[in-house]
Amino acid sequence: LTGATTNTNSAKSTTLNGVIFDEGTTTVTWTATDNAGNTDVCSFDVVVNAKGDLSIQKEAVTSEVVTGGDLKYLITVTNGGPSVARNVIITDNDVLGFLNSPEFSLDDTEGSYTGWTGSYGPITSLTNGSSVSLYIKGTLSDNQCTSVFNTASVSSDNDDDLTNNSVTIETDVTDDENPTITCPAPVTAY
C-alpha cells in the first residue's frame, strides 16, 4: 500500500481484509511469484472521499444598536468532521444592504479590517473539530429605524450535512433620532 494509506506492518499482506483506508488515494499493488521465480504485478487505486460537517453561528456583538450607529457581527464556522472540510466559503450578502461600508476581520483588532464584498474564502481546508471566526462591522443608515434580519451561510466541496449551513438572526435597532420638521415660509396675504 502506498499513498494515503501505507502498510502498517513490515510483513507483506496477502489480503486486504481488515485494512482501513485513509482519506485520499491509496495504490494497492499485488505481486504474484511462482515456484520458478517468475513474477507478475497488478496495481489499482482506492480513492476515499471523506466528508466534513460544517455548522455556522452568528451573533450581534454590539451591545446597543441605534439608528445611524455602529453594528458588529461575529460569525463562527465549525467543522464537526469526521474529515477535513475543503474549500470553505462563508457568505453574508445581507449586510451589504443595510450597513454602510461594511468591513471584516479575522481577529477584531483595529487596523486589521478590510472591505467586505459579501463572502470570505475559500479556506482550503478546515480540519475536524476546528473553527474559524470572522467579524463584520459597519454603520447603520440614519434611516434604519426598524430591526434588521440577516442571513449568513457556509459551503464547502465535501459537506455531508447541509441542514446547519445557514443562520438568520434579527437585530433590534433603537431609533433615538429626534424627528425633524421644516416649516413653510410665512405667507404674506395681499
Side-chain angles (χ1 to χ4, degrees):
L1 303 176
T2 58
T5 308
T6 57
N7 288 29
T8 56
N9 58 37
S10 59
K12 301 279 183 183
S13 297
T14 58
T15 179
L16 292 177
N17 188 27
V19 172
I20 298 173
F21 289 90
D22 294 326
E23 179 183 4
T25 302
T26 300
T27 301
V28 178
T29 304
W30 293 106
T31 304
T33 305
D34 65 15
N35 289 337
N38 299 310
T39 62
D40 195 12
V41 177
C42 168
S43 294
F44 60 91
D45 290 336
V46 175
V47 179
V48 176
N49 295 316
K51 303 285 186 177
D53 180 16
L54 296 175
S55 61
I56 188 168
Q57 295 179 327
K58 182 171 186 172
E59 64 178 299
V61 294
T62 305
S63 59
E64 184 179 353
V65 181
V66 296
T67 298
D70 294 333
L71 173 57
K72 185 188 301 182
Y73 288 109
L74 170 61
I75 298 173
T76 304
V77 172
T78 303
N79 180 13
S83 184
V84 171
R86 303 204 183 283
N87 297 316
V88 177
I89 297 176
I90 302 168
T91 303
D92 187 339
N93 288 316
D94 289 349
V95 295
L96 298 173
F98 61 81
L99 286 181
N100 295 320
S101 304
E103 298 178 300
F104 83 100
S105 174
L106 296 176
D107 62 9
D108 193 33
T109 58
E110 288 305 318
S112 67
Y113 279 82
T114 186
W116 178 251
T117 60
S119 65
Y120 175 76
I123 302 166
T124 307
S125 64
L126 188 61
T127 59
N128 178 16
S130 64
S131 62
V132 62
S133 296
L134 65 88
Y135 296 84
I136 299 175
K137 70 176 185 175
T139 304
L140 287 168
S141 164
D142 289 337
N143 298 325
Q144 183 65 52
C145 302
T146 60
S147 298
V148 291
F149 291 86
N150 184 229
T151 300
S153 61
V154 64
S155 63
S156 80
D157 289 348
N158 65 329
D159 192 346
D160 197 34
D161 179 4
L162 303 181
T163 62
N164 53 0
N165 289 32
S166 180
V167 61
T168 300
I169 66 169
E170 177 183 6
T171 306
D172 293 329
V173 177
T174 303
D175 179 4
D176 64 358
E177 292 286 319
N178 291 326
T180 58
I181 187 168
T182 303
C183 294
V187 176
T188 304
Y190 293 96

